[in-house]
Amino acid sequence: MSAAGLLDRVAAYYSATLSAYGATPRGADWNSRESQELRFERLLHVCADVTGFTINDYGCGYGALARFLHDRGMAAEYVGFDVSAAMIAEARRHLDGLPACRLVSQRAALTPANFTVASGIFNVRLDTPVETWEAHVRETVDDIASLSTRGFAFNMLTHHADPERQRDDLYYADPLAWFEYCRRRTRRVALLHDYPLWEFTLVARWP
């Protein structure tokens, strides 16, 4: 399967959840606002104690992270990118009037920012073979890193989740393998696996 074909299927999946549930956490395939915001808190460890930064939200959905940053008074210039045109259209409505906020539907429109974060974009594998999906994940992590001048963060479902809770259409990753993949880029890598969700967050910063 081509990369474009793979992304088209993922875009269709999220467009369908948005159509079913609207601009809500469920519309982005999360169980609750609480779990969505807990993920944001972990991802934003990458820019802890930093003010006046720029940030790319890679797979932004309807723009919930931009609203999260604004509501907490975190001064940031935000750029959201999503492969689902429906999500970008909804994000434009959801974030209308929010300052320092830009939304794009094409990867070519992204430029490097201080930080790049990605929440949930590696979960929905559908029936893509694991080897093919992991190659896609590696390419995407590399892309996220290339868009980041100070650091990046992303989350994944953990393969330590209870077997009876795991779904065949989702990707469950080995935390240590992806820690090592990030560590090849920088020694400043944190693996956060201590919060009450069946996932982990990797945070990488440049020296």
Side-chain angles (χ1 to χ4, degrees):
M1 181 185 302
S2 69
L6 187 154
L7 290 176
D8 284 345
R9 297 180 71 209
V10 172
Y13 177 92
Y14 282 105
S15 295
T17 62
L18 178 66
S19 177
Y21 301 109
T24 66
R26 289 196 72 188
D29 210 27
W30 297 125
N31 292 330
S32 66
R33 185 171 304 280
E34 290 76 15
S35 67
Q36 182 188 54
E37 293 188 349
L38 179 55
R39 291 178 176 95
F40 291 163
E41 290 171 3
R42 293 303 185 272
L43 290 167
L44 293 175
H45 275 57
V46 73
C47 51
D49 303 320
V50 180
T51 57
F53 56 88
T54 59
I55 187 166
N56 288 323
D57 186 3
Y58 199 110
C60 66
Y62 62 89
L65 178 61
R67 183 68 63 182
F68 183 88
L69 289 164
H70 179 265
D71 290 348
R72 282 154 184 75
M74 299 179 72
E77 294 182 21
Y78 170 95
V79 178
F81 159 64
D82 204 281
V83 295
S84 166
M87 279 292 191
I88 289 295
E90 190 59 42
R92 290 196 172 107
R93 288 189 288 271
H94 183 68
L95 302 176
D96 184 40
L98 204 69
C101 179
R102 185 167 67 92
L103 296 158
V104 301
S105 59
Q106 298 295 324
R107 164 61 184 85
L110 281 178
T111 57
N114 297 142
F115 305 102
T116 302
V117 298
S119 185
I121 68 170
F122 301 127
N123 296 350
V124 180
R125 180 176 60 84
L126 301 176
D127 60 357
T128 305
V130 171
E131 296 80 7
T132 302
W133 187 254
E134 288 185 334
H136 160 69
V137 174
R138 286 191 295 272
E139 291 174 2
T140 306
V141 170
D142 291 346
D143 195 31
I144 288 169
S146 75
L147 287 165
S148 311
T149 64
R150 299 179 65 178
F152 62 93
F154 60 88
N155 52 37
M156 292 183 177
L157 298 172
T158 177
H159 75 174
H160 296 297
D162 293 343
E164 65 272 16
R165 293 177 176 267
Q166 297 187 24
R167 286 170 32 188
D168 291 341
D169 61 333
L170 301 181
Y171 173 60
Y172 296 87
D174 178 349
L176 295 181
W178 288 105
F179 174 90
E180 179 61 24
Y181 191 79
C182 294
R183 193 201 59 78
R184 295 171 192 167
R185 291 183 170 276
T186 175
R187 293 173 297 172
R188 297 184 63 192
V189 182
L191 170 59
L192 310 179
H193 203 304
D194 62 342
Y195 54 107
L197 298 174
W198 296 106
E199 65 175 54
F200 61 93
T201 299
L202 277 165
V203 177
R205 301 181 182 88
W206 308 137

